[in-house]
């Protein structure tokens, strides 16, 4: 199953690249960093990574409302947990 993130800004829908091993590694590295805690801090870089090369430029991503960004980070965290869980089955 391919997990992606989406958001709408100025009536345009933006879709991320599919969650992949690289995104998982970015989250894992942040999760192991004692200076970062909470899904928003842990998933911030992976969120940016997943929109690299899409129509959502960094300016657009940076202008996303914090509540929308937080929801995407929590969703991204759930993708990460699901991927970890499936590896252990």
């Amino acid at each position: 199953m391919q997990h992606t993130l989406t958001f709408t800004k100025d009536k345009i829908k933006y879709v991320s690249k599919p969650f992949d091993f690289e995104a998982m590694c970015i989250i894992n590295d942040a999760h192991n960093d004692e200076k970062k805690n909470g899904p928003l801090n842990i998933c911030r870089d992976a969120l940016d990574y997943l929109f690299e090369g899409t129509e959502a430029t960094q300016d657009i991503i940076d202008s996303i409302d914090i509540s929308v960004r937080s929801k995407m980070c929590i969703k991204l965290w759930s993708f990460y947990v699901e991927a970890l869980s499936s590896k252990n089955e």
Side-chain angles (χ1 to χ4, degrees):
M1 181 175 191
Q2 298 237 331
H3 294 301
T4 57
L5 299 170
T6 61
F7 70 93
T8 303
K9 180 148 178 72
D10 299 327
K11 299 180 183 175
I12 300 170
K13 183 177 181 177
Y14 297 95
V15 180
S16 73
K17 299 182 287 194
F19 181 78
D20 60 10
F21 184 74
E22 181 65 25
M24 188 170 169
C25 290
I26 292 168
I27 294 170
N28 192 61
D29 288 347
H31 187 226
N32 290 319
D33 182 344
E34 293 177 3
K35 296 177 189 128
K36 294 185 179 180
N37 53 21
L40 186 56
N41 285 324
I42 291 172
C43 297
R44 177 177 293 141
D45 292 340
L47 181 66
D48 289 347
Y49 161 76
L50 285 175
F51 282 99
E52 281 177 12
T54 70
E55 291 183 12
T57 63
Q58 194 62 47
D59 289 349
I60 292 169
I61 294 166
D62 290 343
S63 71
I64 299 170
D65 185 77
I66 190 67
S67 65
V68 173
R69 194 172 178 91
S70 297
K71 287 176 187 170
M72 285 194 295
C73 284
I74 290 167
K75 196 170 188 179
L76 194 48
W77 178 253
S78 72
F79 297 165
Y80 172 72
V81 170
E82 180 183 315
L84 283 180
S85 300
S86 68
K87 300 271 185 238
N88 294 329
E89 290 178 356

